[in-house]
Amino acid sequence: MKISYNWLNDYIDIDVDPNKLADILTNIGLEVEGIEQFEEVRGGMKGLIIGEVLTCEKHPNADKLSITTVNTGKGNPLKIVCGAPNVAPKQKVVVATPGTILFVGDKEFTIQKTKIRGAESEGMICAEDEIGIGTVHEGILVLDEKAVPGTSAADYFQIVSDTVFEIGLTPNRIDAASHFGTARDLAAFFSLLGKVNLRKPDISSFASDNNSFHIPIEIKDSEGCRRFTGLTISDLDVKPSPKWLQRKLKSIGLSPINNIVDVTNFVLHELGQPLHAYDANKLNGKKIIVQRLPSGTRFITLDEEERELSDEDIMVCDAKEPVCIAGVFGGLDSGITENTKAIFLESAYFDPVLVRRTARRHDLNTDSSFRFERGVDPENTLYALKRAAILIKELAGGKITSEALDIHSVPVKAVVLDISFEHIDRLIGKSLDKKILRNILQSLDFEIKKEGKEQFTLRVPPYRVDVTREADVIEEILRIYGYNKIEISDKLNASLSYVDQPENEIMVDKVSNFLSANGFHEIMSNSLTKKDYYLDLTTYPEDKLVNILNPLSNELNVMRQTLLFNGLEAIAYNMNHKNQNLRLYEYGRVYSLKSKNTAQFKNFHEVPSFGLFITGDHDEQSWAIPDSSSTFFQLKAFYQNLIQYIGVDPKVFDVKLINNQKDIFSGGLHYFHKNNIVIKAGSIHPDILQQFDIEKEVFFSEINWEYLITLVDRKNRFNEMCRYPEVRRDLALLIDEDISYSSIEKIAFQTENNLLKRVNLFDYYKGKNIPEGKKSYAVSFVLQDQKKTLTDKEIEKIMEKISDNLKKDLHAELR
């Protein structure tokens, strides 16, 4: 939101430097994110002065040039070579002195002392396009003869410069989304330093001239529209706005259109109340009806785009058809044109939730919807209407040809709160004088209905939609009084609390450090994502999505069920920027419904998860390492090392193979513990990658962190280094093609869990001399006894048991 320093001074006298004012605004809760200088004319006409042409003679070496002498009010007259055909003695002109920077279009150039065809030139006599006030370049700009040489051009043309603050307005502070709203906060702050005069625009001159053009108002949608005010103005003249109004709008980045539209924009940014003007002669039946229309109704908005309405859209209609999407955007057919002679002026209060939904549904974000969505002042509609009517009558002529109609469907009730002095002192951390409290509250329009020994009873102004509790009022007091004025106590209070072990934050940091040390980069993404990603998926079904009631856009309309798609977006972005070899991880929450299509609070499931992504080359290119691509087994090594690193025994999982899954993985593994999926890992299906235009294979694993951390061994275990040797035995196994290595490993440890230390698959073969449907695994088994050296007989007995169990359970054959 842009706020003009000069504009603020219309309502409050500010005698502090703009930079100091920016600090004050930030301290009272209106954070200034940037300060920029507004120049009505680019460059501010610096270096341009008024001069008088004393002499004008033809240049001896050029037919189209003249040599002039110009009095600039200081020192000797300047010699200037001029090429304009209309230059003549006694003219008052604008002179650019040496060093002046002129701007013409997107170009700029600096005036210097020079020689033109042998004649000295000490400046330049300017045309209107060269000083930024017009487009004419056929000759120099000749001023009124009363112009005084030596006067700065900026003073002569009354060029105004301004300081504009860019305020990062938080959603709860819509009361400050106007110049008067900002001035009100500043007045509350300065009132602590002395008496302040906050000037609200005067509307006492408002009066209806007659009632010759009465347009009745009917509210059929009392939920969507709680108050609607309007009047007509006739016999007006639509034309460009005066300079002062154009200047104010330009200073905050708005382009002037005409005097009618400009007044509505001006009042919007002055008071925070959106207005809309209709061409009254284009209203069918000369009637206004606020209602909702059937879904599918077509409507053409001011941007000439035809839109399909929903039955949830609040519409302003005439007797025949819709003329405006209430609170969002006007219609094309009823808009103001240069031929408009009569208008119907609207000022209303529309339901914030319904306006927000409509704006998102139609992908429209206007200054009007921005304010209605957050809640405008329901008590300000009639005041703003009269303010605008006075200005339109002043700038466009005409007469107010109806009464100011004010229709209330459902009055907005103000919040009344009891504020305890004890609670104020406790929350602020300092005891404040009641006079200071009273001053701050009244400056912010809080009405003190009753004051007792222990509390205030306050009426909260309806425009403060964010103030609903005692703590909210205390926050208002503190931000105006000043956070920096609260002294830091010498006393430190502390309490001891028991934290469940292992502590989640410590474990998350431990895993993050582990992954970062192994070449992974952490990514952070939005928990909101696109619903389209989940269409036709079985792993993450669409009917378990948590939908957003008022989505910011169709790109952010559901809560994510998985970290996968956010990671693929990051991978696609990096690949588009030539960063092909990636190892990424994210820690975040995923969301789903426990029961399908039942959006109740107790039905929401929120799970913290880790997501790991690998794609591209296995290692950076090097002469010492052959080029190779990343593989699933590389990813598997990382997540298995991770779970061991935090103290989880991989043997607790039941591992099952994923073969040709149709939606997420083309192949991979699921890790189960007591029928709960703890880890999903695999190669992302090409159909998914195609959605993101990713051509390289991507390997992904998602860890249910909430469940995994419950499996962490909480005891620190230390084993003495064994003094006795390890023994290795190998088996060459012929097994069915669908049997996984994890099945072999599981049976081996079930057979001998004490002496068997490690199992490893070191060779795999499928092809010639291997029967169809079979494969060959070469598996090593490492045995060790902590108390003695194993004998051959003991070793053979153990290996015989393992072989028998593999034959029995897996039908394995020894080769």
Side-chain angles (χ1 to χ4, degrees):
M1 180 186 73
K2 293 182 182 295
I3 293 294
S4 158
Y5 182 86
N6 290 347
W7 197 341
L8 281 176
N9 275 280
D10 290 346
Y11 315 111
I12 181 174
D13 294 323
I14 302 173
D15 58 358
V16 298
D17 176 81
N19 291 316
K20 175 64 176 175
L21 186 65
D23 292 337
I24 293 173
L25 287 168
T26 298
N27 289 334
I28 63 175
L30 304 177
E31 183 179 2
V32 176
E33 296 179 337
I35 301 176
E36 60 186 43
Q37 296 301 314
F38 167 75
E39 295 174 328
E40 189 176 1
V41 172
R42 190 180 177 193
M45 291 192 174
K46 294 176 183 176
L48 298 177
I49 58 176
I50 307 303
E52 180 181 8
V53 180
L54 302 178
T55 64
C56 180
E57 300 176 355
K58 287 293 182 183
H59 194 295
N61 300 322
D63 295 337
K64 295 184 178 181
L65 298 179
S66 301
I67 300 176
T68 66
T69 55
V70 181
N71 171 25
T72 58
K74 297 178 183 178
N76 297 324
L78 300 179
K79 294 181 180 179
I80 298 176
V81 176
C82 181
N86 63 328
V87 63
K90 298 184 179 180
Q91 289 177 335
K92 302 294 177 64
V93 295
V94 178
V95 178
T97 56
T100 300
I101 300 175
L102 296 181
F103 304 88
V104 180
D106 295 331
K107 299 180 180 179
E108 61 179 68
F109 57 93
T110 303
I111 302 301
Q112 298 176 343
K113 286 185 179 182
T114 186
K115 285 190 175 183
I116 302 177
R117 296 288 183 93
E120 185 178 10
S121 183
E122 300 176 298
M124 179 174 134
I125 303 175
C126 301
E128 67 175 46
D129 68 325
E130 293 166 333
I131 63 174
I133 63 170
T135 58
V136 177
H137 190 70
E138 283 69 27
I140 60 170
L141 176 63
V142 180
L143 307 177
D144 187 275
E145 61 181 15
K146 295 180 182 179
V148 179
T151 305
S152 72
D155 290 340
Y156 179 82
F157 290 104
Q158 298 181 340
I159 300 301
V160 174
S161 61
D162 195 2
T163 300
V164 179
F165 305 105
E166 182 67 44
I167 294 179
L169 196 67
T170 53
N172 64 309
R173 290 304 313 281
I174 194 61
D175 62 290
S178 65
H179 283 77
F180 185 78
T182 303
R184 178 172 50 220
D185 269 16
L186 287 172
F189 173 82
F190 287 121
S191 69
L192 299 177
L193 307 177
K195 189 174 181 180
V196 177
N197 180 27
L198 179 64
R199 300 180 293 273
K200 194 170 185 178
D202 182 25
I203 61 167
S204 60
S205 63
F206 175 83
S208 174
D209 295 296
N210 57 61
N211 200 27
S212 61
F213 198 172
H214 174 72
I215 294 182
I217 301 167
E218 180 182 1
I219 300 177
K220 290 186 177 180
D221 181 8
S222 58
E223 178 191 1
C225 179
R226 301 184 187 181
R227 189 177 186 185
F228 195 103
T229 63
L231 53 76
T232 61
I233 304 176
S234 305
D235 302 323
L236 45 75
D237 182 17
V238 178
K239 58 185 178 181
S241 298
K243 191 173 182 179
W244 70 265
L245 180 53
Q246 292 194 33
R247 183 187 300 130
K248 286 186 182 295
L249 296 179
K250 288 179 179 178
S251 70
I252 58 172
L254 298 181
S255 299
I257 299 174
N258 57 55
N259 49 0
I260 307 301
V261 176
D262 291 350
V263 165
T264 62
N265 285 332
F266 172 80
V267 173
L268 168 69
H269 289 276
E270 179 185 53
L271 302 174
Q273 173 63 44
L275 306 171
H276 190 69
Y278 306 85
D279 189 322
N281 291 321
K282 294 179 181 178
L283 297 176
N284 296 293
K286 302 300 180 282
K287 185 177 183 180
I288 288 291
I289 305 170
V290 183
Q291 60 185 344
R292 301 191 206 185
L293 299 176
S295 292
T297 303
R298 313 298 294 185
F299 179 62
I300 302 176
T301 46
L302 280 169
D303 56 1
E304 300 183 4
E305 182 173 337
E306 186 177 56
R307 302 178 187 274
E308 184 176 312
L309 301 179
S310 163
D311 58 6
E312 290 190 358
D313 296 334
I314 315 166
M315 299 301 297
V316 180
C317 307
D318 59 22
K320 182 180 177 182
E321 59 189 4
V323 293
C324 179
I325 302 177
V328 181
F329 212 28
L332 181 64
D333 295 338
S334 61
I336 305 300
T337 69
E338 59 184 10
N339 298 319
T340 298
K341 294 301 178 184
I343 65 168
F344 176 80
L345 188 62
E346 162 207 306
S347 177
Y349 178 89
F350 299 113
D351 182 75
V353 173
L354 292 175
V355 171
R356 186 184 306 117
R357 290 176 182 173
T358 294
R360 299 296 173 267
R361 187 180 300 114
H362 297 289
D363 197 21
L364 289 169
N365 184 20
T366 62
D367 284 338
S368 175
S369 68
F370 177 84
R371 286 159 176 80
F372 277 123
E373 287 174 19
R374 289 158 176 80
V376 299
D377 183 0
E379 295 183 348
N380 202 38
T381 54
L382 185 60
Y383 174 85
L385 180 77
K386 292 180 177 180
R387 168 67 168 160
I390 293 170
L391 288 172
I392 290 174
K393 188 175 177 181
E394 176 186 327
L395 303 183
K399 296 180 178 180
I400 300 174
T401 50
S402 75
E403 296 178 357
L405 296 180
D406 186 4
I407 309 299
H408 284 76
S409 61
V410 181
V412 178
K413 294 182 180 179
V415 175
V416 176
L417 297 172
D418 291 329
I419 312 299
S420 164
F421 300 137
E422 180 184 352
H423 291 172
I424 293 174
D425 295 345
R426 179 175 60 83
L427 291 181
I428 289 179
K430 181 178 182 179
S431 181
L432 299 183
D433 188 273
K434 289 184 181 179
K435 184 178 180 181
I436 294 176
L437 298 176
R438 195 181 302 112
N439 189 8
I440 292 175
L441 292 169
Q442 291 175 340
S443 297
L444 294 175
D445 287 348
F446 288 86
E447 180 186 348
I448 301 176
K449 300 181 72 68
K450 183 180 178 182
E451 181 178 341
K453 292 183 179 180
E454 297 180 352
Q455 66 180 26
F456 284 134
T457 298
L458 301 177
R459 177 187 184 271
V460 180
Y463 62 79
R464 290 310 305 269
V465 294
D466 59 318
V467 179
T468 58
R469 306 169 303 162
E470 182 184 44
D472 298 331
V473 177
I474 298 173
E475 182 184 4
E476 290 299 296
I477 295 170
L478 182 54
R479 72 178 180 86
I480 297 299
Y481 178 75
Y483 292 96
N484 295 332
K485 292 182 181 178
I486 306 301
E487 297 82 3
I488 298 175
S489 173
D490 295 331
K491 182 180 178 183
L492 178 64
N493 295 323
S495 60
L496 298 176
S497 60
Y498 174 77
V499 179
D500 288 337
Q501 299 294 331
E503 192 170 346
N504 184 68
E505 288 74 15
I506 293 176
M507 296 299 290
V508 169
D509 286 344
K510 185 175 182 179
V511 171
S512 298
N513 291 336
F514 171 82
L515 292 171
S516 297
N518 280 277
F520 283 78
H521 294 279
E522 184 175 9
I523 61 174
M524 294 182 179
S525 57
N526 200 331
S527 294
L528 302 178
T529 188
K530 185 162 58 173
K531 187 174 186 177
D532 291 350
Y533 289 151
Y534 296 88
L535 300 180
D536 302 323
L537 294 185
T538 55
T539 305
Y540 304 107
E542 182 184 352
D543 53 13
K544 282 201 170 185
L545 286 171
V546 178
N547 291 279
I548 304 301
L549 292 177
N550 301 302
L552 296 173
S553 71
N554 290 331
E555 303 293 314
L556 301 169
N557 53 5
V558 296
M559 304 292 285
R560 63 187 178 192
Q561 274 197 73
T562 172
L563 300 175
L564 171 64
F565 299 115
N566 302 80
L568 292 179
E569 288 176 347
I571 288 172
Y573 179 86
N574 277 273
M575 286 186 169
N576 289 336
H577 288 76
K578 308 302 181 184
N579 191 9
Q580 304 290 321
N581 305 321
L582 300 168
R583 294 180 188 175
L584 306 176
Y585 75 93
E586 178 172 12
Y587 173 74
R589 296 179 180 271
V590 296
Y591 310 83
S592 62
L593 299 176
K594 296 176 183 176
S595 302
K596 297 179 180 180
N597 296 322
T598 306
Q600 298 177 353
F601 181 76
K602 62 182 180 181
N603 191 40
F604 294 134
H605 193 211
E606 181 178 342
V607 180
S609 301
F610 263 101
L612 279 63
F613 302 83
I614 293 181
T615 186
D617 294 340
H618 189 287
D619 296 290
E620 292 294 330
Q621 285 187 337
S622 170
W623 63 270
I625 304 174
D627 292 344
S628 63
S629 297
S630 296
T631 65
F632 169 73
F633 298 102
Q634 182 187 12
L635 174 69
K636 181 183 177 184
F638 281 124
Y639 68 71
Q640 284 195 327
N641 288 337
L642 182 154
I643 62 179
Q644 289 180 350
Y645 179 66
I646 64 172
V648 177
D649 186 354
K651 294 194 290 292
V652 303
F653 297 110
D654 182 16
V655 184
K656 295 184 179 179
L657 192 65
I658 307 171
N659 280 320
N660 298 318
Q661 191 183 51
K662 296 298 183 184
D663 52 0
I664 297 299
F665 296 114
S666 57
L669 299 173
H670 278 173
Y671 288 71
F672 288 85
H673 183 265
K674 297 181 179 179
N675 295 321
N676 295 296
I677 297 180
V678 183
I679 301 174
K680 301 173 186 175
S683 175
I684 301 302
H685 199 284
D687 292 346
I688 298 290
L689 297 179
Q690 188 176 8
Q691 295 181 39
F692 297 86
D693 295 326
I694 297 174
E695 297 179 356
K696 290 191 175 184
E697 193 170 12
V698 176
F699 303 99
F700 167 68
S701 68
E702 187 161 30
I703 301 171
N704 183 333
W705 178 253
E706 183 178 66
Y707 195 100
L708 181 67
I709 201 171
T710 65
L711 304 178
V712 173
D713 188 347
R714 301 183 182 186
K715 296 180 180 179
N716 293 321
R717 300 180 186 275
F718 300 92
N719 294 320
E720 182 182 357
M721 291 287 292
C722 185
R723 294 179 293 172
Y724 302 100
E726 292 181 343
V727 179
R728 169 174 164 166
R729 291 292 185 268
D730 298 339
L731 293 179
L733 302 172
L734 186 66
I735 55 177
D736 291 338
E737 192 173 13
D738 60 351
I739 293 175
S740 65
Y741 160 73
S742 60
S743 301
I744 298 173
E745 184 182 43
K746 183 177 181 181
I747 291 171
F749 279 109
Q750 286 176 345
T751 304
E752 178 53 63
N753 190 40
N754 185 31
L755 300 180
L756 182 62
K757 301 303 180 185
R758 293 191 305 278
V759 180
N760 181 49
L761 174 65
F762 65 89
D763 194 17
Y764 161 78
Y765 177 70
K766 180 182 176 184
K768 188 177 180 181
N769 298 326
I770 299 295
E772 187 175 351
K774 297 285 186 176
K775 61 184 176 182
S776 175
Y777 272 1
V779 183
S780 66
F781 301 85
V782 176
L783 304 169
Q784 186 180 42
D785 193 327
Q786 297 286 338
K787 299 178 180 179
K788 64 176 183 175
T789 300
L790 288 171
T791 66
D792 289 342
K793 187 175 181 180
E794 290 171 325
I795 296 169
E796 293 306 321
K797 185 177 180 181
I798 294 171
M799 293 306 300
E800 185 177 342
K801 286 183 179 180
I802 292 175
S803 300
D804 290 344
N805 286 335
L806 290 175
K807 291 176 183 178
K808 176 182 175 183
D809 295 342
L810 302 180
H811 304 293
E813 300 176 30
L814 295 179
R815 294 185 67 199

